[in-house]
Amino acid sequence: MAFVPPDLSVNISSLTLKNPIMTASGTFGYGQEYASFVDLDKLGAIIVKGISLEPRSGNPYPRIAETTGGMLNSVGLENIGADRFISEKLPYLVDSGACVIVNLIGNTVEEYCELAQKLDKTSGIKGLELNISCPNVKEGGIFFGIEATSAFQVVGSTRRSTKLPLIVKLSPNVTDITVIARSVQEAGADAISLINTITGMAIDIETRTPKLANITGGLSGPAIKPIALRMVWEVSRVVEIPVIGVGGIMNAEDALEFIIAGASAIQVGTANFVNPKATIDILLGIEKYLTDKNINDIKTLIGTLKI
Amino acid sequence: MYQVLSKVLFNNELSPVYYRMSLNCPEIASEAYPGQFLMARVSKQLDPLLRRPFAIHSVKNATAKEIKMDTSSCVEILYKVVGKGTKVMSLMREGDEMDIIGPIGNGYRLDRNIQTAILIGGGIGVASLFYLAETIITKGSKAKKVVFLLGGKTKDDILCIEDFKRIGVEVRVATEDGSLGCKGVVTDLLSDYFGSGDYTPGSSPYCFACGPEDMLKEVSKVIVEKELPCQISLESKMACGVGACMVCGVETKPQLGDLRKGTVLKSAKQKDEMGYKRVCKDGPVFDCNEIIWE
């Protein structure tokens, strides 16, 4: 019998992805930066660097500190703004054949809505990911993501501003992530991605100063994977909408853990810095796993954790 | 830009904490130019996690460039052991493999008509300046003078001066403790040069500097006063090396060329905000007039 490759496609609400591999916002630029290493159209989706209505200059430097098995960043949502993204960055991505999902940031509910409306009218964008979880800025970002009522409000209002599939990215810096998850589902989110980075810090003992100018930053990388996995498992048990797993995924084995825990898709973040071909390596590794286990459809693997 | 699993050809200790490593990577060697750098993954494990940036110190291309896999095509890097990553590198031996990405960045821009070049280096900053000196001397046809001013804390921080002399560079050295050359810092050498008979006002030497940020700041002050062109190569902590992660920025004065078509600048503040540049992608070499040092 002829070899039939496993079906890797997954559904995120109305959006069908050719495979479950996405890039995590902020770790893959606007796609073009990685085009020497990855065929962008081979990935399930590319989630671009967070975009705000107006350009943002971000936080002071230094913005990075490496830690054991991880990295702290305090970039602070530096980006070129929606207009320049649409005119300068989006055309290349669309031409590459990539499935483009835009990560949105705002200071106010009104800004999220205005931005969602603007992107809704822009062709070539397949979905939105609402960032209510960046730990590095006071206004916007995490302000909305750590309290169920404000999360409900911003997701509900943005939902009414766009017909595009709406993913909401959650912060792990909360007491009970399932409360926030339920709240954004109720507000009309099509999917939930988690986790954003975990707030952390590092100190230079010679100078007794913080290693980041912002004092604290967001921890990412393999160090946070067990926490992300636990939260994906917790959330996927209490919501009906698809969950997208992100946090410290470095290889196919890590990605498969998230899928078994309940994630319908996964995002690769810090691993892109370590290995610019990480997304493709993970894709090939998942395909091999399915073939070896005689699993012909990845959808049958989602949430199959045996307890 | 290539990702290459390169073989270590040699990894020699130059002085207690400084090493020179040669890596076999024909693809990178054939495209690199001075001022560009590599991102090296020093361990196949996840700790240390991130790649480290290293300036290209020299490039050896196989005699026939088309012989892509010739093992004599290599890039050399010069590094100082400062932490976990460089410690791991210092233990590598001939035949070991290291995953590198390169060549990366906008390096030194070379005018073929350069007659006099002043290279100003501090400590490990010598790394990118050797490749630059080699290139200035071998490319173009005009007779050239290359002067290299090098500063360091002690004689142990003064590297490669014989290599510079061998290719015909005039070398002047300063150390803070006076253990080699003049006692002082590299800006003293620079001021001495401008005050000496070697420098004719109006002769327009090209200046190139690489070293610690404080040194670059002081060097820039001296050179801006002389109204001479000066390119500086900046160091920064990095994560991706390809312009994606936004952690290696530098504040620059907005240049007219940056104001792209269709950009509406709504306020003076916003105009200023346009002035951040990425060291990895927009640099690492910048015009010294571009940088806002404060």
Side-chain angles (χ1 to χ4, degrees), chain B residues 244-267:
Chain B
C245 71
M246 314 305 278
V247 304
C248 66
V250 57
E251 201 175 351
T252 60
K253 295 167 196 166
Q255 309 282 304
L256 277 178
D258 294 342
L259 305 181
R260 295 177 180 86
K261 269 190 291 183
T263 306
V264 183
L265 296 176
K266 293 184 176 159
S267 64

mmCIF file with all atom_site columns, all heavy atoms in Angstrom, chain B residues 244-267:
data_model
loop_
_atom_site.group_PDB
_atom_site.id
_atom_site.type_symbol
_atom_site.label_atom_id
_atom_site.label_alt_id
_atom_site.label_comp_id
_atom_site.label_asym_id
_atom_site.label_entity_id
_atom_site.label_seq_id
_atom_site.pdbx_PDB_ins_code
_atom_site.Cartn_x
_atom_site.Cartn_y
_atom_site.Cartn_z
_atom_site.occupancy
_atom_site.B_iso_or_equiv
_atom_site.pdbx_formal_charge
_atom_site.auth_seq_id
_atom_site.auth_comp_id
_atom_site.auth_asym_id
_atom_site.auth_atom_id
_atom_site.pdbx_PDB_model_num
ATOM 1   N N   . ALA B 1 244 ? 14.914 40.477 14.494 1.00 0.00 ? 244 ALA B N   1
ATOM 2   C CA  . ALA B 1 244 ? 13.538 40.143 14.864 1.00 0.00 ? 244 ALA B CA  1
ATOM 3   C C   . ALA B 1 244 ? 13.194 40.455 16.314 1.00 0.00 ? 244 ALA B C   1
ATOM 4   O O   . ALA B 1 244 ? 12.063 40.814 16.619 1.00 0.00 ? 244 ALA B O   1
ATOM 5   C CB  . ALA B 1 244 ? 13.283 38.655 14.599 1.00 0.00 ? 244 ALA B CB  1
ATOM 6   N N   . CYS B 1 245 ? 14.149 40.328 17.226 1.00 0.00 ? 245 CYS B N   1
ATOM 7   C CA  . CYS B 1 245 ? 13.767 40.309 18.644 1.00 0.00 ? 245 CYS B CA  1
ATOM 8   C C   . CYS B 1 245 ? 13.768 41.686 19.313 1.00 0.00 ? 245 CYS B C   1
ATOM 9   O O   . CYS B 1 245 ? 13.204 41.847 20.388 1.00 0.00 ? 245 CYS B O   1
ATOM 10  C CB  . CYS B 1 245 ? 14.638 39.336 19.413 1.00 0.00 ? 245 CYS B CB  1
ATOM 11  S SG  . CYS B 1 245 ? 16.344 39.860 19.644 1.00 0.00 ? 245 CYS B SG  1
ATOM 12  N N   . MET B 1 246 ? 14.406 42.666 18.703 1.00 0.00 ? 246 MET B N   1
ATOM 13  C CA  . MET B 1 246 ? 14.385 44.056 19.178 1.00 0.00 ? 246 MET B CA  1
ATOM 14  C C   . MET B 1 246 ? 15.059 44.260 20.541 1.00 0.00 ? 246 MET B C   1
ATOM 15  O O   . MET B 1 246 ? 14.676 45.161 21.282 1.00 0.00 ? 246 MET B O   1
ATOM 16  C CB  . MET B 1 246 ? 12.943 44.597 19.255 1.00 0.00 ? 246 MET B CB  1
ATOM 17  C CG  . MET B 1 246 ? 12.082 44.320 18.059 1.00 0.00 ? 246 MET B CG  1
ATOM 18  S SD  . MET B 1 246 ? 12.791 44.896 16.522 1.00 0.00 ? 246 MET B SD  1
ATOM 19  C CE  . MET B 1 246 ? 12.338 46.604 16.537 1.00 0.00 ? 246 MET B CE  1
ATOM 20  N N   . VAL B 1 247 ? 16.045 43.458 20.883 1.00 0.00 ? 247 VAL B N   1
ATOM 21  C CA  . VAL B 1 247 ? 16.716 43.687 22.160 1.00 0.00 ? 247 VAL B CA  1
ATOM 22  C C   . VAL B 1 247 ? 18.043 44.436 22.029 1.00 0.00 ? 247 VAL B C   1
ATOM 23  O O   . VAL B 1 247 ? 18.604 44.876 23.016 1.00 0.00 ? 247 VAL B O   1
ATOM 24  C CB  . VAL B 1 247 ? 16.954 42.380 22.967 1.00 0.00 ? 247 VAL B CB  1
ATOM 25  C CG1 . VAL B 1 247 ? 15.661 41.649 23.200 1.00 0.00 ? 247 VAL B CG1 1
ATOM 26  C CG2 . VAL B 1 247 ? 17.987 41.489 22.318 1.00 0.00 ? 247 VAL B CG2 1
ATOM 27  N N   . CYS B 1 248 ? 18.548 44.595 20.789 1.00 0.00 ? 248 CYS B N   1
ATOM 28  C CA  . CYS B 1 248 ? 19.893 45.155 20.647 1.00 0.00 ? 248 CYS B CA  1
ATOM 29  C C   . CYS B 1 248 ? 19.875 46.555 20.040 1.00 0.00 ? 248 CYS B C   1
ATOM 30  O O   . CYS B 1 248 ? 20.695 46.875 19.204 1.00 0.00 ? 248 CYS B O   1
ATOM 31  C CB  . CYS B 1 248 ? 20.764 44.232 19.804 1.00 0.00 ? 248 CYS B CB  1
ATOM 32  S SG  . CYS B 1 248 ? 20.242 44.086 18.084 1.00 0.00 ? 248 CYS B SG  1
ATOM 33  N N   . GLY B 1 249 ? 18.977 47.393 20.470 1.00 0.00 ? 249 GLY B N   1
ATOM 34  C CA  . GLY B 1 249 ? 18.830 48.695 19.833 1.00 0.00 ? 249 GLY B CA  1
ATOM 35  C C   . GLY B 1 249 ? 19.849 49.726 20.271 1.00 0.00 ? 249 GLY B C   1
ATOM 36  O O   . GLY B 1 249 ? 20.526 49.588 21.283 1.00 0.00 ? 249 GLY B O   1
ATOM 37  N N   . VAL B 1 250 ? 19.950 50.762 19.467 1.00 0.00 ? 250 VAL B N   1
ATOM 38  C CA  . VAL B 1 250 ? 20.791 51.901 19.797 1.00 0.00 ? 250 VAL B CA  1
ATOM 39  C C   . VAL B 1 250 ? 20.016 53.146 19.368 1.00 0.00 ? 250 VAL B C   1
ATOM 40  O O   . VAL B 1 250 ? 19.307 53.133 18.370 1.00 0.00 ? 250 VAL B O   1
ATOM 41  C CB  . VAL B 1 250 ? 22.157 51.815 19.082 1.00 0.00 ? 250 VAL B CB  1
ATOM 42  C CG1 . VAL B 1 250 ? 22.002 51.717 17.580 1.00 0.00 ? 250 VAL B CG1 1
ATOM 43  C CG2 . VAL B 1 250 ? 23.045 52.985 19.441 1.00 0.00 ? 250 VAL B CG2 1
ATOM 44  N N   . GLU B 1 251 ? 20.147 54.192 20.188 1.00 0.00 ? 251 GLU B N   1
ATOM 45  C CA  . GLU B 1 251 ? 19.408 55.404 19.857 1.00 0.00 ? 251 GLU B CA  1
ATOM 46  C C   . GLU B 1 251 ? 20.202 56.231 18.850 1.00 0.00 ? 251 GLU B C   1
ATOM 47  O O   . GLU B 1 251 ? 21.370 56.536 19.068 1.00 0.00 ? 251 GLU B O   1
ATOM 48  C CB  . GLU B 1 251 ? 19.138 56.214 21.117 1.00 0.00 ? 251 GLU B CB  1
ATOM 49  C CG  . GLU B 1 251 ? 17.987 57.170 20.921 1.00 0.00 ? 251 GLU B CG  1
ATOM 50  C CD  . GLU B 1 251 ? 17.616 57.897 22.207 1.00 0.00 ? 251 GLU B CD  1
ATOM 51  O OE1 . GLU B 1 251 ? 18.128 57.531 23.273 1.00 0.00 ? 251 GLU B OE1 1
ATOM 52  O OE2 . GLU B 1 251 ? 16.818 58.836 22.110 1.00 0.00 ? 251 GLU B OE2 1
ATOM 53  N N   . THR B 1 252 ? 19.565 56.539 17.743 1.00 0.00 ? 252 THR B N   1
ATOM 54  C CA  . THR B 1 252 ? 20.255 57.300 16.700 1.00 0.00 ? 252 THR B CA  1
ATOM 55  C C   . THR B 1 252 ? 19.460 58.543 16.369 1.00 0.00 ? 252 THR B C   1
ATOM 56  O O   . THR B 1 252 ? 18.255 58.623 16.612 1.00 0.00 ? 252 THR B O   1
ATOM 57  C CB  . THR B 1 252 ? 20.411 56.467 15.414 1.00 0.00 ? 252 THR B CB  1
ATOM 58  O OG1 . THR B 1 252 ? 19.118 56.102 14.951 1.00 0.00 ? 252 THR B OG1 1
ATOM 59  C CG2 . THR B 1 252 ? 21.226 55.225 15.654 1.00 0.00 ? 252 THR B CG2 1
ATOM 60  N N   . LYS B 1 253 ? 20.168 59.523 15.790 1.00 0.00 ? 253 LYS B N   1
ATOM 61  C CA  . LYS B 1 253 ? 19.483 60.725 15.328 1.00 0.00 ? 253 LYS B CA  1
ATOM 62  C C   . LYS B 1 253 ? 18.711 60.341 14.071 1.00 0.00 ? 253 LYS B C   1
ATOM 63  O O   . LYS B 1 253 ? 19.280 59.708 13.186 1.00 0.00 ? 253 LYS B O   1
ATOM 64  C CB  . LYS B 1 253 ? 20.509 61.816 14.999 1.00 0.00 ? 253 LYS B CB  1
ATOM 65  C CG  . LYS B 1 253 ? 21.275 62.276 16.217 1.00 0.00 ? 253 LYS B CG  1
ATOM 66  C CD  . LYS B 1 253 ? 22.488 63.102 15.819 1.00 0.00 ? 253 LYS B CD  1
ATOM 67  C CE  . LYS B 1 253 ? 23.426 63.212 17.009 1.00 0.00 ? 253 LYS B CE  1
ATOM 68  N NZ  . LYS B 1 253 ? 24.765 63.692 16.660 1.00 0.00 ? 253 LYS B NZ  1
ATOM 69  N N   . PRO B 1 254 ? 17.441 60.711 13.982 1.00 0.00 ? 254 PRO B N   1
ATOM 70  C CA  . PRO B 1 254 ? 16.689 60.345 12.785 1.00 0.00 ? 254 PRO B CA  1
ATOM 71  C C   . PRO B 1 254 ? 17.381 60.902 11.537 1.00 0.00 ? 254 PRO B C   1
ATOM 72  O O   . PRO B 1 254 ? 17.759 62.062 11.499 1.00 0.00 ? 254 PRO B O   1
ATOM 73  C CB  . PRO B 1 254 ? 15.327 61.006 12.994 1.00 0.00 ? 254 PRO B CB  1
ATOM 74  C CG  . PRO B 1 254 ? 15.235 61.206 14.454 1.00 0.00 ? 254 PRO B CG  1
ATOM 75  C CD  . PRO B 1 254 ? 16.635 61.452 14.936 1.00 0.00 ? 254 PRO B CD  1
ATOM 76  N N   . GLN B 1 255 ? 17.596 60.048 10.570 1.00 0.00 ? 255 GLN B N   1
ATOM 77  C CA  . GLN B 1 255 ? 18.224 60.467 9.320  1.00 0.00 ? 255 GLN B CA  1
ATOM 78  C C   . GLN B 1 255 ? 17.107 60.654 8.289  1.00 0.00 ? 255 GLN B C   1
ATOM 79  O O   . GLN B 1 255 ? 16.124 59.935 8.304  1.00 0.00 ? 255 GLN B O   1
ATOM 80  C CB  . GLN B 1 255 ? 19.196 59.395 8.817  1.00 0.00 ? 255 GLN B CB  1
ATOM 81  C CG  . GLN B 1 255 ? 20.199 58.931 9.857  1.00 0.00 ? 255 GLN B CG  1
ATOM 82  C CD  . GLN B 1 255 ? 21.349 59.898 10.059 1.00 0.00 ? 255 GLN B CD  1
ATOM 83  O OE1 . GLN B 1 255 ? 22.041 60.243 9.109  1.00 0.00 ? 255 GLN B OE1 1
ATOM 84  N NE2 . GLN B 1 255 ? 21.534 60.345 11.280 1.00 0.00 ? 255 GLN B NE2 1
ATOM 85  N N   . LEU B 1 256 ? 17.302 61.573 7.391  1.00 0.00 ? 256 LEU B N   1
ATOM 86  C CA  . LEU B 1 256 ? 16.257 61.856 6.410  1.00 0.00 ? 256 LEU B CA  1
ATOM 87  C C   . LEU B 1 256 ? 15.850 60.606 5.632  1.00 0.00 ? 256 LEU B C   1
ATOM 88  O O   . LEU B 1 256 ? 14.692 60.398 5.332  1.00 0.00 ? 256 LEU B O   1
ATOM 89  C CB  . LEU B 1 256 ? 16.733 62.932 5.436  1.00 0.00 ? 256 LEU B CB  1
ATOM 90  C CG  . LEU B 1 256 ? 16.566 64.364 5.964  1.00 0.00 ? 256 LEU B CG  1
ATOM 91  C CD1 . LEU B 1 256 ? 17.110 65.359 4.961  1.00 0.00 ? 256 LEU B CD1 1
ATOM 92  C CD2 . LEU B 1 256 ? 15.082 64.640 6.251  1.00 0.00 ? 256 LEU B CD2 1
ATOM 93  N N   . GLY B 1 257 ? 16.817 59.762 5.351  1.00 0.00 ? 257 GLY B N   1
ATOM 94  C CA  . GLY B 1 257 ? 16.560 58.557 4.562  1.00 0.00 ? 257 GLY B CA  1
ATOM 95  C C   . GLY B 1 257 ? 15.616 57.576 5.236  1.00 0.00 ? 257 GLY B C   1
ATOM 96  O O   . GLY B 1 257 ? 15.037 56.724 4.589  1.00 0.00 ? 257 GLY B O   1
ATOM 97  N N   . ASP B 1 258 ? 15.467 57.716 6.568  1.00 0.00 ? 258 ASP B N   1
ATOM 98  C CA  . ASP B 1 258 ? 14.604 56.786 7.285  1.00 0.00 ? 258 ASP B CA  1
ATOM 99  C C   . ASP B 1 258 ? 13.129 57.113 7.123  1.00 0.00 ? 258 ASP B C   1
ATOM 100 O O   . ASP B 1 258 ? 12.270 56.310 7.421  1.00 0.00 ? 258 ASP B O   1
ATOM 101 C CB  . ASP B 1 258 ? 14.906 56.818 8.788  1.00 0.00 ? 258 ASP B CB  1
ATOM 102 C CG  . ASP B 1 258 ? 16.285 56.292 9.071  1.00 0.00 ? 258 ASP B CG  1
ATOM 103 O OD1 . ASP B 1 258 ? 16.821 55.614 8.186  1.00 0.00 ? 258 ASP B OD1 1
ATOM 104 O OD2 . ASP B 1 258 ? 16.810 56.581 10.148 1.00 0.00 ? 258 ASP B OD2 1
ATOM 105 N N   . LEU B 1 259 ? 12.846 58.325 6.727  1.00 0.00 ? 259 LEU B N   1
ATOM 106 C CA  . LEU B 1 259 ? 11.443 58.732 6.641  1.00 0.00 ? 259 LEU B CA  1
ATOM 107 C C   . LEU B 1 259 ? 10.860 58.183 5.350  1.00 0.00 ? 259 LEU B C   1
ATOM 108 O O   . LEU B 1 259 ? 10.932 58.805 4.308  1.00 0.00 ? 259 LEU B O   1
ATOM 109 C CB  . LEU B 1 259 ? 11.334 60.255 6.722  1.00 0.00 ? 259 LEU B CB  1
ATOM 110 C CG  . LEU B 1 259 ? 12.004 60.851 7.966  1.00 0.00 ? 259 LEU B CG  1
ATOM 111 C CD1 . LEU B 1 259 ? 11.838 62.348 7.985  1.00 0.00 ? 259 LEU B CD1 1
ATOM 112 C CD2 . LEU B 1 259 ? 11.408 60.248 9.237  1.00 0.00 ? 259 LEU B CD2 1
ATOM 113 N N   . ARG B 1 260 ? 10.341 56.995 5.463  1.00 0.00 ? 260 ARG B N   1
ATOM 114 C CA  . ARG B 1 260 ? 9.887  56.300 4.275  1.00 0.00 ? 260 ARG B CA  1
ATOM 115 C C   . ARG B 1 260 ? 8.587  56.900 3.764  1.00 0.00 ? 260 ARG B C   1
ATOM 116 O O   . ARG B 1 260 ? 7.850  57.547 4.488  1.00 0.00 ? 260 ARG B O   1
ATOM 117 C CB  . ARG B 1 260 ? 9.698  54.818 4.580  1.00 0.00 ? 260 ARG B CB  1
ATOM 118 C CG  . ARG B 1 260 ? 11.011 54.175 4.922  1.00 0.00 ? 260 ARG B CG  1
ATOM 119 C CD  . ARG B 1 260 ? 10.834 52.723 5.307  1.00 0.00 ? 260 ARG B CD  1
ATOM 120 N NE  . ARG B 1 260 ? 12.126 52.149 5.631  1.00 0.00 ? 260 ARG B NE  1
ATOM 121 C CZ  . ARG B 1 260 ? 12.686 52.213 6.833  1.00 0.00 ? 260 ARG B CZ  1
ATOM 122 N NH1 . ARG B 1 260 ? 12.075 52.830 7.811  1.00 0.00 ? 260 ARG B NH1 1
ATOM 123 N NH2 . ARG B 1 260 ? 13.860 51.665 7.058  1.00 0.00 ? 260 ARG B NH2 1
ATOM 124 N N   . LYS B 1 261 ? 8.361  56.634 2.496  1.00 0.00 ? 261 LYS B N   1
ATOM 125 C CA  . LYS B 1 261 ? 7.159  57.146 1.849  1.00 0.00 ? 261 LYS B CA  1
ATOM 126 C C   . LYS B 1 261 ? 5.908  56.719 2.607  1.00 0.00 ? 261 LYS B C   1
ATOM 127 O O   . LYS B 1 261 ? 5.803  55.585 3.043  1.00 0.00 ? 261 LYS B O   1
ATOM 128 C CB  . LYS B 1 261 ? 7.073  56.599 0.418  1.00 0.00 ? 261 LYS B CB  1
ATOM 129 C CG  . LYS B 1 261 ? 7.728  57.510 -0.593 1.00 0.00 ? 261 LYS B CG  1
ATOM 130 C CD  . LYS B 1 261 ? 7.400  57.058 -2.006 1.00 0.00 ? 261 LYS B CD  1
ATOM 131 C CE  . LYS B 1 261 ? 8.084  55.742 -2.318 1.00 0.00 ? 261 LYS B CE  1
ATOM 132 N NZ  . LYS B 1 261 ? 7.877  55.258 -3.671 1.00 0.00 ? 261 LYS B NZ  1
ATOM 133 N N   . GLY B 1 262 ? 4.986  57.620 2.739  1.00 0.00 ? 262 GLY B N   1
ATOM 134 C CA  . GLY B 1 262 ? 3.706  57.260 3.353  1.00 0.00 ? 262 GLY B CA  1
ATOM 135 C C   . GLY B 1 262 ? 3.714  57.364 4.866  1.00 0.00 ? 262 GLY B C   1
ATOM 136 O O   . GLY B 1 262 ? 2.706  57.172 5.517  1.00 0.00 ? 262 GLY B O   1
ATOM 137 N N   . THR B 1 263 ? 4.873  57.647 5.461  1.00 0.00 ? 263 THR B N   1
ATOM 138 C CA  . THR B 1 263 ? 4.936  57.750 6.910  1.00 0.00 ? 263 THR B CA  1
ATOM 139 C C   . THR B 1 263 ? 4.453  59.124 7.337  1.00 0.00 ? 263 THR B C   1
ATOM 140 O O   . THR B 1 263 ? 4.951  60.137 6.862  1.00 0.00 ? 263 THR B O   1
ATOM 141 C CB  . THR B 1 263 ? 6.385  57.577 7.396  1.00 0.00 ? 263 THR B CB  1
ATOM 142 O OG1 . THR B 1 263 ? 6.884  56.360 6.871  1.00 0.00 ? 263 THR B OG1 1
ATOM 143 C CG2 . THR B 1 263 ? 6.456  57.551 8.906  1.00 0.00 ? 263 THR B CG2 1
ATOM 144 N N   . VAL B 1 264 ? 3.475  59.125 8.199  1.00 0.00 ? 264 VAL B N   1
ATOM 145 C CA  . VAL B 1 264 ? 3.004  60.401 8.715  1.00 0.00 ? 264 VAL B CA  1
ATOM 146 C C   . VAL B 1 264 ? 3.526  60.557 10.126 1.00 0.00 ? 264 VAL B C   1
ATOM 147 O O   . VAL B 1 264 ? 3.230  59.750 11.007 1.00 0.00 ? 264 VAL B O   1
ATOM 148 C CB  . VAL B 1 264 ? 1.457  60.444 8.726  1.00 0.00 ? 264 VAL B CB  1
ATOM 149 C CG1 . VAL B 1 264 ? 0.969  61.806 9.190  1.00 0.00 ? 264 VAL B CG1 1
ATOM 150 C CG2 . VAL B 1 264 ? 0.918  60.138 7.340  1.00 0.00 ? 264 VAL B CG2 1
ATOM 151 N N   . LEU B 1 265 ? 4.364  61.542 10.328 1.00 0.00 ? 265 LEU B N   1
ATOM 152 C CA  . LEU B 1 265 ? 4.899  61.775 11.660 1.00 0.00 ? 265 LEU B CA  1
ATOM 153 C C   . LEU B 1 265 ? 4.010  62.797 12.344 1.00 0.00 ? 265 LEU B C   1
ATOM 154 O O   . LEU B 1 265 ? 3.900  63.932 11.917 1.00 0.00 ? 265 LEU B O   1
ATOM 155 C CB  . LEU B 1 265 ? 6.347  62.274 11.570 1.00 0.00 ? 265 LEU B CB  1
ATOM 156 C CG  . LEU B 1 265 ? 7.301  61.255 10.960 1.00 0.00 ? 265 LEU B CG  1
ATOM 157 C CD1 . LEU B 1 265 ? 8.676  61.858 10.809 1.00 0.00 ? 265 LEU B CD1 1
ATOM 158 C CD2 . LEU B 1 265 ? 7.369  60.005 11.797 1.00 0.00 ? 265 LEU B CD2 1
ATOM 159 N N   . LYS B 1 266 ? 3.365  62.351 13.418 1.00 0.00 ? 266 LYS B N   1
ATOM 160 C CA  . LYS B 1 266 ? 2.326  63.190 13.991 1.00 0.00 ? 266 LYS B CA  1
ATOM 161 C C   . LYS B 1 266 ? 2.843  64.197 15.006 1.00 0.00 ? 266 LYS B C   1
ATOM 162 O O   . LYS B 1 266 ? 2.165  65.131 15.357 1.00 0.00 ? 266 LYS B O   1
ATOM 163 C CB  . LYS B 1 266 ? 1.247  62.305 14.603 1.00 0.00 ? 266 LYS B CB  1
ATOM 164 C CG  . LYS B 1 266 ? 0.514  61.543 13.511 1.00 0.00 ? 266 LYS B CG  1
ATOM 165 C CD  . LYS B 1 266 ? -0.627 60.730 14.031 1.00 0.00 ? 266 LYS B CD  1
ATOM 166 C CE  . LYS B 1 266 ? -1.343 60.085 12.834 1.00 0.00 ? 266 LYS B CE  1
ATOM 167 N NZ  . LYS B 1 266 ? -2.113 58.935 13.181 1.00 0.00 ? 266 LYS B NZ  1
ATOM 168 N N   . SER B 1 267 ? 4.033  63.956 15.539 1.00 0.00 ? 267 SER B N   1
ATOM 169 C CA  . SER B 1 267 ? 4.548  64.889 16.526 1.00 0.00 ? 267 SER B CA  1
ATOM 170 C C   . SER B 1 267 ? 6.058  64.821 16.533 1.00 0.00 ? 267 SER B C   1
ATOM 171 O O   . SER B 1 267 ? 6.658  63.893 15.990 1.00 0.00 ? 267 SER B O   1
ATOM 172 C CB  . SER B 1 267 ? 4.031  64.507 17.913 1.00 0.00 ? 267 SER B CB  1
ATOM 173 O OG  . SER B 1 267 ? 4.545  63.236 18.247 1.00 0.00 ? 267 SER B OG  1
#
